[in-house]
Amino acid sequence: MSNSADDLLLETRDGGVALAVKAQPGAKRNALTGVHAGALKVAVSVAPEQGKANQAIAALLAETLGLKKSDVELLAGQTSRSKKFLVRGLSVEELRTRLSEILAGGDGRHG
């Protein structure tokens, strides 16, 4: 596992950037915990039931990146731990820079 956003696989899509996410539902607290195999590891405290974990991940990403909830949307992986989210309002470079700062500074942790 890495804490470097340089290792993230980011892809420009119409209207935003596709971000690969490795979900960790049922964690003790909500946090961006690092990078593994090109995906951002995101821990959320809610259980993976009825899309609650997906909603929690989207909300955590939006809050942490300083975006509106509507700017983060699940593209793929509804029932899988491997997911892909669309992040609107940031370029690939801006998203990588923000995630680098968050992962380096520990600002990805929220109770």
Side-chain angles (χ1 to χ4, degrees):
M1 186 175 77
S2 162
N3 279 336
S4 174
D6 292 340
D7 297 334
L8 285 171
L9 299 177
L10 301 175
E11 173 185 338
T12 302
R13 291 271 181 107
D14 285 342
V17 179
L19 169 65
V21 168
K22 179 74 172 175
Q24 296 177 291
K28 288 186 180 183
R29 62 183 181 174
N30 297 340
L32 307 184
T33 61
V35 177
H36 179 72
L40 180 65
K41 290 182 72 176
V42 181
V44 291
S45 58
V46 298
E49 298 170 353
Q50 300 172 342
K52 290 179 184 175
N54 293 333
Q55 292 169 2
I57 291 168
L60 178 61
L61 288 171
E63 177 187 346
T64 306
L65 294 169
L67 301 170
K68 297 180 287 187
K69 285 182 185 179
S70 61
D71 288 333
V72 180
E73 175 187 347
L74 181 65
L75 290 177
Q78 180 75 24
T79 59
S80 170
R81 287 182 183 243
S82 296
K83 302 179 181 298
K84 194 164 278 197
F85 282 85
L86 179 67
V87 179
R88 294 184 192 89
L90 298 174
S91 69
V92 168
E93 295 79 19
E94 290 170 325
L95 180 56
R96 192 177 306 278
T97 297
R98 287 196 191 180
L99 289 172
S100 289
E101 292 168 355
I102 291 163
L103 292 170
D107 294 338
R109 305 199 188 294
H110 296 278

